[in-house]
Amino acid sequence: MSGTGARRWLPYLLLLPGGLWLFVFFVVPMLTLASTSLQEGSLQSGYVLTWRIANYTEAVTAFREQFLRSFGYAGIATLLALVIGYPLAYVIAFRAGRWRNVLLLLVIAPFFTSFLIRTLAWKIILSDTGWVVGALKTVGVLPDNGRLLATSAAVVAGITYNFLPFMILPLYASLERIDPRYVEAAQDLYANAFTAFWRVTWPLSLPGVVAGTLLTFIPAAGDFVNVRFLGTPSQSMIGTVIDSRFLVVLDYPTAAALSFLLMLAILVLVVAYVRRAGTEELV
Amino acid sequence: MNVAGDGIRVIDEPSPGDRLHLVDLTKRFGDVVAVDHLDLVVEPGSFVAFLGPSGCGKTTTLRMIGGLEQPTSGRVWLGDTDITDLKPYRRPVNTVFQNYALFPHLDIDANVAFGLRRTGVKGAELRRRVDEMLELVQLPGYGRRRVPELSGGQQQRVALARALVNHPKMLLLDEPLGALDLKLRRQMQIELKRIQTDVRITFVHVTHDQEEAMTMADTIAVMNSGRIEQLGGPVELYERPATEFVANFLGQSNLLKGTVTGTDGDRRTVSVGDRRIVVPADRVPAGGDGVLVGVRPEKITIEHAGGPDRGDGGAVAGGNVLEGTLVDVSFTGVSTQYLVALPWNAEVMVFAQNLQVDERLQPGAPVRLLWAPEHTFALCPGTAAAPRDDAAAPDPPVAVTPGRIADVVRDG
């Protein structure tokens, strides 16, 4: 019976490396973080676990504005990424022919350079002396003393750019799976091109829309890099605060509490969104 | 509106204004000619099958009728309207797609109602027509189900309902039964024929299955390499194939090389090997003397050559006789198949019903093959099309128009 015994244990054995990894590098740090978020004290006297729930309420009161701004920026960036990404993914999936792979490669090409470099590049592109600002001033969109850098627009644009591939790829994957015969069937059943898209292609691509918006929104809400390079403290997002609480102010309990609050907020938003999108079987 | 046998309303009386007319239709994909100067008239209310092997252009022709493919040249007329340049959603034609293409995100009701909603039907009228149609395809009460919950046969019926509910002038069926197993396919063939008889809409059916085409269609267009090889009713095509391709694609044929040697009243004599075979004159193509003489395997009677000789080397008592050696015998249940080698390097297949089996019919035995001249046909060897010298009019309801296929089928 050793054969069946080994067979019974095999799945657990296969789970072991991943499980261990997650335990050591996810579960343990999460517990540490949870404990930190309930501590009290100062860097000099050391932090002690006192189950101080007030860390959370104080964090919410103090950084309410940053929370709201984070979700606002992330929401706008996600929407922009959807508006930019959907037509692109559609063309790659249905019209690109032999150019499909080239276009897909171009979509992921930014990943060949680091996130930081790309954001720094945007800093140069949007700089006060850069050609974008110059051109916008020439056509009169920007006033003479106007600037792009250090504005909300720059931060949202940076976030949109950085997470666009996370929107396009799931959209492409789900559009590409749609059998063109569904569209033909819709046209055969008196739907013009727009109706065929709205009644057939769009609903069938919803799993991709949900996946893409989640993959964009979640990291965007916690982002702090774009604000640092493209914004100012007055655009600071919750990620910025957590970053500085941990690494600059060294106020670990507040930073930990903020981290948990961010996670919770994202979780609540995602659950509400997925329910509303009616695609619970897909996520 | 009439009421059909089981209480389902007949959708529309066929009107002569709904005649489909394909004029010199051609479709090229790059260098490949998928449909080659095709002409065809389909009368309203008929059931036509495009039959042919894959790549013969049958599906492309159907898609051009539906508007899903644009012809390279030629026109598509529906009644007095040239619909060649109309978008698919502007054509009063609906399609049952291969593998059905039912919308997976909609339930059965919404699938069936899709076309009606687009044309502005709503409320009680929509409800009534959807229910009526689900009843016609024998799926009442299935409206709230989702597509994957249905079996292949049920999905097939939904696809049919989704198309027919719009009261199209023509229903296009693209290999609609291809995904079903044999038993279900047989059942659906009868079912489709019943529905067509009920609703009296023109059905244009694409298939590579000759049995399916023969069971359902009143007219079959046998297609090969983008052209119609022969057009006619199932019996006509089977009994009098005009080309080698048709003779072999519809059932099996024994084709023997021969030369037309003489005429005897309304009969022609063809010498095959050292024998003479009699063929009705109207079944012999005009033109060259070199022909292929054909006879279907089940029309031949096989007997042991040791019995009383009925032949004198030709046509005595009006029958055709050949002698040969039995090469192979295989029992298939319904019939027994005999393969007979003729003295001049030719073989003949015989299907015999298992009524009285002669024990002497074993491989190696000398045998005699007999069949009636009426069961014999002749065609020009190797040609795609052979004009016949009879002048009978083509079978209604499908007419052949002057043009390319006129010489494919006959010159009358």
Side-chain angles (χ1 to χ4, degrees):
Chain A
M1 296 303 282
S2 66
T4 51
R7 190 158 295 198
R8 195 143 50 92
W9 284 105
L10 189 64
Y12 299 101
L13 213 65
L14 292 172
L15 277 176
L16 198 61
L20 265 179
W21 186 271
L22 279 179
F23 182 78
V24 173
F25 295 107
F26 180 71
V27 177
V28 173
M30 283 296 273
L31 291 173
T32 317
L33 197 68
S35 133
T36 308
S37 75
L38 296 167
Q39 286 172 1
E40 202 178 350
S42 67
L43 194 62
Q44 290 73 29
S45 57
Y47 293 107
V48 203
L49 181 61
T50 57
W51 300 97
R52 192 173 182 273
I53 304 291
N55 283 346
Y56 282 84
T57 51
E58 283 169 17
V60 173
T61 337
F63 301 107
R64 197 167 151 270
E65 192 193 332
Q66 281 83 351
F67 265 113
L68 290 179
R69 194 179 295 124
S70 291
F71 292 122
Y73 284 1
I76 297 169
T78 305
L79 210 62
L80 281 175
L82 182 64
V83 170
I84 298 167
Y86 199 98
L88 190 61
Y90 183 91
V91 169
I92 298 175
F94 293 121
R95 299 287 152 84
R98 60 203 177 89
W99 294 101
R100 177 186 285 201
N101 288 335
V102 177
L103 287 171
L104 278 178
L105 193 73
L106 287 177
V107 168
I108 57 163
F111 289 132
F112 294 138
T113 50
S114 96
F115 187 59
L116 286 180
I117 304 276
R118 276 181 281 143
T119 314
L120 272 170
W122 269 73
K123 189 180 178 117
I124 296 162
I125 293 168
L126 297 181
S127 73
D128 297 343
T129 53
W131 65 269
V132 176
V133 171
L136 289 179
K137 279 180 181 166
T138 314
V139 296
V141 175
L142 272 181
D144 280 345
N145 59 350
R147 57 186 308 207
L148 285 176
L149 210 57
T151 62
S152 301
V155 178
V156 171
I159 295 174
T160 306
Y161 161 75
N162 273 310
F163 297 110
L164 190 57
F166 296 105
M167 178 66 83
I168 294 174
L169 292 177
L171 280 177
Y172 165 76
S174 105
L175 282 167
E176 191 260 345
R177 273 208 311 264
I178 298 177
D179 190 333
R181 267 183 308 200
Y182 292 138
V183 179
E184 288 187 345
Q187 292 180 343
D188 185 71
L189 293 163
Y190 315 121
N192 59 29
F194 174 76
T195 315
F197 171 79
W198 183 240
R199 296 285 173 190
V200 175
T201 311
W202 171 257
L204 287 176
S205 69
L206 275 183
V209 173
V210 171
T213 46
L214 288 180
L215 283 176
T216 310
F217 182 82
I218 295 170
D223 182 70
F224 60 96
V225 175
N226 286 286
V227 176
R228 173 174 299 171
F229 291 129
L230 307 174
T232 63
S234 59
Q235 279 90 39
S236 67
M237 293 165 67
I238 200 64
T240 326
V241 177
I242 296 171
D243 175 49
S244 77
R245 286 285 130 179
F246 265 125
L247 304 177
V248 183
V249 187
L250 305 179
D251 175 6
Y252 300 138
T254 307
L258 283 171
S259 301
F260 269 103
L261 284 169
L262 179 62
M263 274 189 269
L264 187 72
I266 289 177
L267 202 66
V268 169
L269 281 172
V270 165
V271 168
Y273 172 63
V274 170
R275 286 203 159 191
R276 184 152 168 72
T279 48
E280 54 281 291
E281 74 265 30
L282 302 161
V283 178
Chain B
M1 280 196 163
N2 286 3
V3 174
D6 52 354
I8 301 295
R9 247 165 296 191
V10 169
I11 289 178
D12 279 312
E13 287 297 326
S15 119
D18 300 339
R19 176 187 288 118
L20 172 75
H21 193 167
L22 306 180
V23 186
D24 201 25
L25 205 59
T26 298
K27 177 69 184 180
R28 281 190 206 94
F29 294 105
D31 292 339
V32 182
V33 181
V35 176
D36 190 6
H37 298 284
L38 187 132
D39 287 272
L40 179 69
V41 173
V42 177
E43 292 295 336
S46 56
F47 197 140
V48 182
F50 290 157
L51 174 68
S54 59
C56 72
K58 55 192 193 302
T59 296
T60 308
T61 307
L62 194 81
R63 287 172 63 85
M64 287 193 285
I65 301 170
L68 298 169
E69 211 79 68
Q70 268 302 304
T72 311
S73 67
R75 310 306 292 175
V76 180
W77 290 80
L78 190 60
D80 297 330
T81 323
D82 181 350
I83 60 169
T84 319
D85 300 320
L86 287 187
K87 296 275 186 197
Y89 59 88
R90 298 231 183 265
R91 300 187 186 203
V93 165
N94 290 113
T95 308
V96 174
F97 288 83
Q98 200 173 7
N99 300 340
Y100 327 130
L102 296 176
F103 303 125
H105 59 296
L106 301 176
D107 64 14
I108 302 310
D109 269 346
N111 263 284
V112 176
F114 194 93
L116 291 178
R117 281 191 210 278
R118 303 286 85 76
T119 47
V121 180
K122 48 187 168 239
E125 163 81 355
L126 182 82
R127 186 72 262 162
R128 185 184 63 74
R129 282 173 68 175
V130 169
D131 286 345
E132 190 180 276
M133 201 43 70
L134 285 177
E135 205 156 300
L136 178 75
V137 298
Q138 299 177 345
L139 287 174
Y142 278 69
R144 304 306 300 170
R145 309 257 187 120
R146 301 200 73 90
V147 176
E149 293 169 35
L150 268 56
S151 70
Q154 291 171 332
Q155 292 188 18
Q156 214 284 324
R157 288 158 195 265
V158 175
L160 199 62
R162 185 177 70 169
L164 279 177
V165 75
N166 305 295
H167 297 186
K169 295 197 167 159
M170 203 170 8
L171 186 72
L172 309 177
L173 302 115
D174 184 8
E175 302 259 7
L177 309 180
L180 304 179
D181 61 57
L182 187 65
K183 202 174 160 205
L184 203 53
R185 200 153 64 216
R186 291 255 164 80
Q187 203 180 316
M188 281 308 295
Q189 285 170 9
I190 296 164
E191 184 76 14
L192 266 178
K193 185 70 196 169
R194 175 185 74 82
I195 290 171
Q196 198 263 340
T197 316
D198 276 4
V199 300
R200 297 214 233 161
I201 294 174
T202 312
F203 275 34
V204 181
H205 180 178
V206 157
T207 181
H208 62 268
D209 181 341
Q210 45 122 348
E211 190 198 299
E212 191 174 301
M214 298 221 268
T215 312
M216 291 192 286
D218 6 87
T219 307
I220 300 174
V222 182
M223 289 188 67
N224 185 29
S225 312
R227 306 181 56 175
I228 296 180
E229 287 260 336
Q230 193 178 355
L231 185 78
V235 176
E236 189 200 349
L237 288 190
Y238 190 78
E239 300 294 346
R240 314 173 63 170
T243 70
E244 206 176 328
F245 178 83
V246 176
N248 284 317
F249 197 79
L250 264 88
Q252 271 178 280
S253 294
N254 292 301
L255 297 174
L256 301 168
K257 271 186 203 150
T259 316
V260 180
T261 49
T263 305
D264 171 20
D266 57 353
R267 298 187 164 191
R268 295 269 166 91
T269 319
V270 181
S271 78
V272 172
D274 58 355
R275 291 293 188 138
R276 276 176 292 146
I277 288 178
V278 177
V279 187
D282 64 352
R283 297 191 176 195
V284 180
D289 284 343
V291 291
L292 286 174
V293 173
V295 58
R296 297 287 184 180
E298 75 280 5
K299 309 282 194 196
I300 304 174
T301 308
I302 187 168
E303 60 178 37
H304 196 268
D309 193 350
R310 297 193 213 168
D312 67 348
V316 164
N320 286 318
V321 181
L322 286 176
E323 269 143 14
T325 313
L326 195 51
V327 176
D328 188 45
V329 180
S330 41
F331 177 73
T332 65
V334 217
S335 66
T336 302
Q337 302 186 3
Y338 299 95
L339 185 65
V340 177
L342 300 179
W344 58 88
N345 193 27
E347 283 179 336
V348 171
M349 179 69 87
V350 180
F351 298 162
Q353 275 192 290
N354 300 315
L355 294 173
Q356 293 160 315
V357 178
D358 188 339
E359 293 299 327
R360 294 174 298 170
L361 292 178
Q362 297 298 334
V367 290
R368 192 179 302 126
L369 307 173
L370 310 106
W371 72 93
E374 307 89 84
H375 293 145
T376 322
F377 54 85
L379 39 91
C380 289
T383 50
R388 297 245 207 99
D389 61 359
D390 64 322
D395 285 353
V398 173
V400 180
T401 48
R404 278 230 172 179
I405 61 161
D407 60 316
V408 171
V409 181
R410 56 178 57 119
D411 54 7

